[in-house]
Amino acid sequence: MKNLKTALIFVLTISCSLSLFSQNESEGHSNGVKLENPITEAFIKKHLSKQSPKLILTPSTEKLLKQKLKTDALVKTYYAFLKEEAFRILETPLLKLELEGFRFPDAREALRKLATLSIVYRIDENPIILNRINEELVAISSFDSWNPQHFLDVSQTALGVALAIDWNANTLPKETIKLAKKALMEKAILPSFNTTSERMGWIDGSNNWNAVCHGGMIAASLAIADENPALAAKTISRALEKLPNSLKEYAPEGVHPEGPFYWRFGTSYTAVASNVLKTALGTDFGISKSPGFMQTADYRLEVTGPSGDCFNYADSDGKTDGDASAVLAWFAAQTGNGAYINKPFFEYPNNPDLLLAEEALIQQNEGRFAGVALIWLAQCSFENTTQLPQAWYGKGHVPIVVFRGDKDDTKQFYLAAKGGSGLISHGNMDAGTFVFELNGIRWVIDPGNQNYYPLNKIGFELSNSKQDSERWTLLTKNNFGHSIVTVNNELFNVKGNVPVVDFKDDEIPEATFDLTELYMGNIKSLKRTFIKENNQSLLIEDQFEINEATQMVTWQLMTVADVEPTKNGAILKQDGKILNLSILSPENLKISIISLDPAPLKIDKQIKNLKRIEIRIPAYFLKGNGGLLQVRLSDKKSN
């Protein structure tokens, strides 16, 4: 159990730390996103709250939390878990600065441990827990550094220390508070201004690093603002100038181009920035009002299927983890929308659906914001619970379309498809791909992310997104590992952009993506349309026009189901259920089954029973220059 937990924490920390490619170093005020920025030393001195605590937890929110612990079963149950977790932390060794390559994997543990212990101490006032908080703070503050060569580590450590000294300001030894504040300044805030250091592109960048690092520095600055208001003002002012770079990525409707996995990382710290600024200075200066930001919680629900797995595009895994559940609780607290609460996460250990308690425990331990989540959960009023629409189109750099079953759906129909470009941060050659669920089974899968550390260790150019980069040799990254259409067996044009050109939210919804730019002139045009015929049937139409360069058009579908070829398609079998794949047009086409277990390269992600179903159409097979490939996925045979 302990080893598995450690492995999960390490893998997820590595995953969050992909190099800063595609940072898009643009001005912070683009796309109309501009935050108020009146921050000066005088402003800090005048407006900094005199109450204690003042970062997320305040006297009023603490009073509400203690009331909810008496009246709200969900809050009470979740706190019981946190209390258990606090005592488990007591049995673990103090954190040490031990690097894996150039990363400090336990930075997330610094935040998780300090926030969990601190919120439990605020409620129970157990001196044993306070002593451990003190020991952790002294140990962390005494590190030689917080690893500024990988500033995500600095930010996460700094946030944990800031919350711990703020929440326990009146009970920790004064020497510890002094030591921790000195560490915040010397090991976090001042190094953040060393722009000549490695990997400092986050300052002006637009991906999740921008949100995480500036968010952590805001919290650190507010924690030391009473002693050094000038340094705090300089740091917070910079953050308000630069945060729009990542905030604009949510416009116009909350879709996050980096996918659901990195959504929860960057969005969590954006929520933290908003929260600490409001509680300490009285306003978040417009963060929560940025175009699309409050809508992004809807995006996160939309890209989660009935199975509970996410549409795992853009270097994402498929699971909903603790950090996602925590930040959604912040959105629930802001909006009163109960749909944002992932009850199974907060109901452990009293949820009968979680049959394997250890699995639930591991899921919760993944959450570095576990302690903070209790405060957000207690603030939820559940004034309303919105229902997800049957057809949803999220606009943005990576347009997403989702179709679901209606209110009477017993088949758990779910389609999620994407457009966009491979040049997006964490982007892959997967524009036009989709995942599909029916009857509780994910039949069409995405291979998802793979562990970065073994690749970085051998010098693999994972962060290079140029057309000839070795990144595109990996099955998880290139178009041969996704459910799309490939032409002439060639890689996609990494610069090619795929928009949604038609969307109909009718009784029979449909959406069309234009894939033409992906093929670098190997085909004249190709458009892909998804049609939800009913709650048990999806029709995929690929309309294309060939040219002299077109030799072979290959339709691809990724699955881990068993596949049995039929006269006009295939039968997929998984967990005692079936899905029919029927080729409606052209006639006389057969499928091919390409086993990808093992994957082509030793360094590829290995997925048990993975295979690619192909439908190959040679150019000479077509009459004229056009073609229409129609494939139906249904639990009933086509006529």
Side-chain angles (χ1 to χ4, degrees):
M1 167 69 185
K2 183 177 179 181
N3 290 339
L4 181 56
K5 168 183 165 183
T6 302
L8 277 170
I9 291 169
F10 172 70
V11 169
L12 287 173
T13 301
I14 293 301
S15 296
C16 290
S17 307
L18 184 64
S19 299
L20 301 180
F21 70 85
S22 300
Q23 275 278 13
N24 186 19
E25 296 187 5
S26 56
E27 291 298 321
H29 306 328
S30 61
N31 274 15
V33 178
K34 184 177 181 179
L35 300 178
E36 301 167 22
N37 193 357
I39 302 297
T40 61
E41 182 179 354
F43 185 95
I44 293 290
K45 289 180 177 179
K46 179 178 179 180
H47 294 281
L48 184 66
S49 174
K50 303 299 188 292
Q51 64 183 358
S52 180
K54 60 177 173 290
L55 300 183
I56 300 177
L57 185 70
T58 66
S60 60
T61 56
E62 185 173 31
K63 180 179 179 181
L64 175 64
L65 170 57
K66 290 180 177 179
Q67 290 174 344
K68 288 288 188 77
L69 283 169
K70 298 176 182 178
T71 61
D72 190 309
L74 196 59
V75 174
K76 183 177 181 180
T77 299
Y78 184 57
Y79 176 67
F81 160 76
L82 289 178
K83 190 172 180 179
E84 291 176 7
E85 183 60 16
F87 282 96
R88 280 189 285 270
I89 291 172
L90 296 180
E91 298 173 0
T92 64
L94 293 174
L95 290 175
K96 298 179 181 180
L97 182 63
E98 296 178 345
L99 301 185
E100 293 281 359
F102 58 82
R103 297 177 170 104
F104 173 37
D106 278 343
R108 67 159 55 217
E109 277 293 87
L111 171 55
R112 186 184 72 86
K113 282 186 172 184
L114 288 171
T116 299
L117 290 169
S118 295
I119 196 62
V120 170
Y121 178 73
R122 291 294 307 196
I123 295 169
D124 279 10
E125 298 183 353
N126 186 326
I128 297 175
I129 292 178
L130 180 63
N131 183 63
R132 180 54 183 264
I133 296 169
N134 184 65
E135 291 178 338
E136 290 284 3
L137 280 172
V138 170
I140 294 169
S141 299
S142 300
F143 290 168
D144 290 339
S145 77
W146 290 346
N147 198 35
Q149 64 177 331
H150 190 249
F151 216 86
L152 294 179
D153 299 340
V154 177
S155 181
Q156 295 183 93
T157 305
L159 178 57
V161 170
L163 295 179
I165 63 174
D166 179 69
W167 295 358
N168 302 287
N170 299 323
T171 51
L172 283 169
K174 292 182 179 179
E175 296 81 5
T176 300
I177 297 291
K178 183 178 180 180
L179 178 66
K181 286 187 175 182
K182 182 180 179 183
L184 284 172
M185 288 184 277
E186 295 182 353
K187 295 180 172 67
I189 299 173
L190 290 175
S192 79
F193 286 95
N194 184 10
T195 56
T196 62
S197 183
E198 293 183 82
R199 303 179 185 89
M200 297 297 286
W202 59 267
I203 295 174
D204 293 292
S206 62
N207 71 5
N208 65 85
W209 284 58
N210 176 271
V212 173
C213 296
H214 283 300
M217 292 307 96
I218 288 173
S221 297
L222 291 170
I224 60 93
D226 54 343
E227 291 191 7
N228 197 332
L231 181 60
K234 179 181 177 182
T235 309
I236 296 170
S237 179
R238 178 189 61 180
L240 294 177
E241 178 188 352
K242 303 298 185 180
L243 271 174
N245 288 341
S246 56
L247 283 169
K248 67 181 174 59
E249 298 299 307
Y250 295 97
E253 296 179 339
V255 173
H256 197 259
E258 293 182 272
F261 187 81
Y262 287 93
W263 172 91
R264 98 278 190 265
F265 196 32
T267 305
S268 294
Y269 277 83
T270 305
V272 164
S274 172
N275 204 161
V276 296
L277 286 169
K278 279 186 177 180
T279 55
L281 296 177
T283 175
D284 73 351
F285 304 98
I287 291 175
S288 58
K289 295 180 181 179
S290 296
F293 185 66
M294 293 308 296
Q295 293 170 274
T296 199
D298 293 322
Y299 153 79
R300 189 55 176 76
L301 297 186
E302 290 290 353
V303 295
T304 304
S307 66
D309 289 345
C310 297
F311 180 19
N312 51 326
Y313 70 92
D315 287 0
S316 296
D317 65 13
K319 301 300 179 183
T320 298
D321 65 10
D323 286 341
S325 300
V327 70
L328 281 171
W330 180 82
F331 283 98
Q334 302 304 304
T335 64
N337 191 348
Y340 299 149
I341 293 295
N342 178 17
K343 286 190 175 181
F345 174 79
F346 293 106
E347 286 175 344
Y348 173 84
N350 295 326
N351 185 351
D353 294 330
L354 299 178
L355 301 179
L356 298 177
E358 284 197 342
E359 287 189 2
L361 180 61
I362 291 170
Q363 181 196 41
Q364 291 197 305
N365 281 342
E366 292 175 3
R368 73 203 83 189
F369 291 98
V372 179
L374 180 69
I375 303 168
W376 291 337
L377 180 65
Q379 293 176 310
C380 296
S381 60
F382 304 115
E383 297 170 0
N384 57 81
T385 300
T386 59
Q387 299 297 316
L388 295 174
Q390 294 178 50
W392 180 81
Y393 167 31
K395 301 179 180 69
H397 294 306
V398 178
I400 304 290
V401 168
V402 173
F403 295 158
R404 296 177 182 272
D406 58 34
K407 61 183 179 63
D408 298 320
D409 177 30
T410 60
K411 300 291 186 179
Q412 296 178 296
F413 182 105
Y414 181 75
L415 165 84
K418 69 174 293 290
S421 164
L423 284 182
I424 294 294
S425 178
H426 293 286
N428 298 318
M429 291 182 173
D430 61 356
T433 196
F434 67 104
V435 295
F436 180 62
E437 295 181 10
L438 197 67
N439 292 317
I441 304 292
R442 179 158 290 192
W443 298 99
V444 183
I445 73 161
D446 190 286
N449 195 24
Q450 66 185 94
N451 190 353
Y452 299 148
Y453 182 63
L455 299 171
N456 291 336
K457 191 174 182 180
I458 63 174
F460 189 88
E461 293 185 353
L462 185 63
S463 62
N464 184 344
S465 58
K466 293 181 180 179
Q467 186 68 42
D468 60 354
S469 168
E470 63 181 347
R471 174 180 175 86
W472 310 123
T473 64
L474 296 175
L475 190 66
T476 56
K477 313 304 178 193
N478 64 41
N479 45 291
F480 303 108
H482 296 93
S483 300
I484 42 72
V485 177
T486 292
V487 177
N488 295 349
N489 296 319
E490 293 190 8
L491 289 173
F492 280 175
N493 175 12
V494 71
K495 297 180 180 179
N497 183 57
V498 172
V500 172
V501 293
D502 189 36
F503 177 76
K504 294 183 175 66
D505 183 10
D506 299 329
E507 184 176 347
I508 300 179
E510 63 180 73
T512 300
F513 295 79
D514 189 345
L515 280 62
T516 304
E517 287 190 14
L518 299 177
Y519 302 110
M520 295 188 288
N522 284 311
I523 199 166
K524 186 173 181 180
S525 69
L526 198 155
K527 292 182 179 179
R528 160 163 282 194
T529 300
F530 296 96
I531 303 170
K532 182 198 168 197
E533 298 181 302
N534 51 55
N535 286 343
Q536 61 191 41
S537 181
L538 170 69
L539 180 63
I540 307 162
E541 294 186 342
D542 291 299
Q543 180 79 51
F544 54 91
E545 186 175 358
I546 66 174
N547 58 23
E548 292 181 355
T550 309
Q551 300 173 24
M552 180 71 70
V553 177
T554 305
W555 188 95
Q556 301 172 185
L557 182 145
M558 305 296 291
T559 187
V560 293
D562 295 327
V563 180
E564 178 184 321
T566 62
K567 182 180 179 181
N568 67 334
I571 296 175
L572 281 63
K573 299 179 180 180
Q574 191 173 345
D575 295 341
K577 298 179 182 178
I578 67 168
L579 181 77
N580 287 284
L581 185 158
S582 304
I583 305 171
L584 305 184
S585 174
E587 297 179 348
N588 302 319
L589 288 178
K590 302 291 185 181
I591 70 157
S592 299
I593 304 170
I594 312 300
S595 175
L596 297 169
D597 181 13
L601 303 178
K602 288 184 178 180
I603 59 174
D604 271 324
K605 180 180 182 179
Q606 304 297 320
I607 302 175
K608 186 177 180 181
N609 210 33
L610 182 66
K611 55 185 66 68
R612 183 174 64 235
I613 298 175
E614 293 184 350
I615 303 172
R616 289 180 163 260
I617 308 176
Y620 64 77
F621 183 87
L622 299 169
K623 298 178 181 180
N625 294 326
L628 174 63
L629 176 59
Q630 293 179 306
V631 177
R632 174 177 288 138
L633 301 178
S634 173
D635 65 354
K636 287 189 176 182
K637 291 184 178 180
S638 298
N639 295 328

